[in-house]
Amino acid sequence: MKIAVIGAGGVGGYFGGKLAQAGNDVTFVARGATLEAMRKNGLTVKSVDGDFFIPEVQVTDNVSEIGEVELVVLGVKSWQVREAAEQIQSICGAGTAVLPLQNGVLSTEELNGVLTNNRGSSTALNGGSAAQNELTNGHGTGAAGDGYSAALCGLCRIFSKADMPGVITHFGVNPTIELGEPSNEKSERVLKIQKVFDDAGVNCKVPDDIIAAIWQKFTFICTSGLLVVSNSTYGPLREIPETRKMMIELMTEVNNVAIAKGVTPMPNVVEKTMAIIDKCPYDSNCSLTRDVLAGRPSEIEYQNGTVVRLGEELGVDVPVNRFVYSSILPMEIRARSRS
């Protein structure tokens, strides 16, 4: 399969590397030191599941030179999605699928807000739930293409980071991708992409309800802000009764927002998410935590900030998420003023 991977950090570097290792025609889009390092030294992945090295990778900073692809894997930060959508229009044909792997619940909507215009007129999803239609902002089908929106719904589960340009470390969690059409139809393209990942040795699932799966991941990822305000990793956070209680309250708020928004949540989603946290490596944290503590811009607006805004719109009280968001906001403003 011809694939473009936008971003070569912890997510794009790992999953793109697995796809390239399996023999797919993969081109990475990177910038600056990462671009130069990958051109010179290839891609190195250090993984708890076994290291691998790709000595020669296709990498560019000019998206348009890639040509039309079958799949775009989007591994950029959440705030970069709109810019990325503009850039990838030149490589997206009527049958191209775009797979967002960002943290948060807005990427598919933002992508289709740009990309559907490239595929013909759009209408609301047929057969999708009200929440699913709202997620895609009404951009459900592209009449000029295969009848589907350009962007799929997607998420990934992995603890990974770029230790240095062109060197990725996977340090926890069985790497998994979940994807689906916003309508939850088991379409031919979804099943084809699933097989491509499976053949590359990546656990890939097509859940019955991808929207619920995204919100379950969102419930988990919103706890990363608590790691910042407590200056902790998941081990102490889950062991101390007071901070464990805060995590449960925070996740309950996210679930309440999802229900108010019309999403059908997974049964016992808070308990199941807490069980996942209990199995996380003791010293693990999340990308938002690392970004904030390093003084870099973060995805706080797309995580706890989104919970706060949706809570206000839907009349749902979210005091723990508001505390986390408000506590991190001064650091976020300072980091963005420097970037």
Side-chain angles (χ1 to χ4, degrees), residues 20 29 35 37 48 60 63 79 89 91 109 121 162 241-242 251 297 308 330:
V29 176
L35 173 70
V48 293
T60 182
V63 177
W79 74 82
Q89 287 189 87
I91 61 173
E109 175 183 345
S121 60
E242 290 83 357
M251 292 188 291
V308 171

Side-chain angles (χ1 to χ4, degrees), residues 1-5 19 24-27 69-73 196:
M1 180 176 281
K2 187 172 182 180
I3 302 168
V5 177
L19 292 168
N24 292 285
D25 181 1
V26 177
T27 302
V69 298
E70 297 171 80
L71 174 65
V72 178
V73 177
V196 168

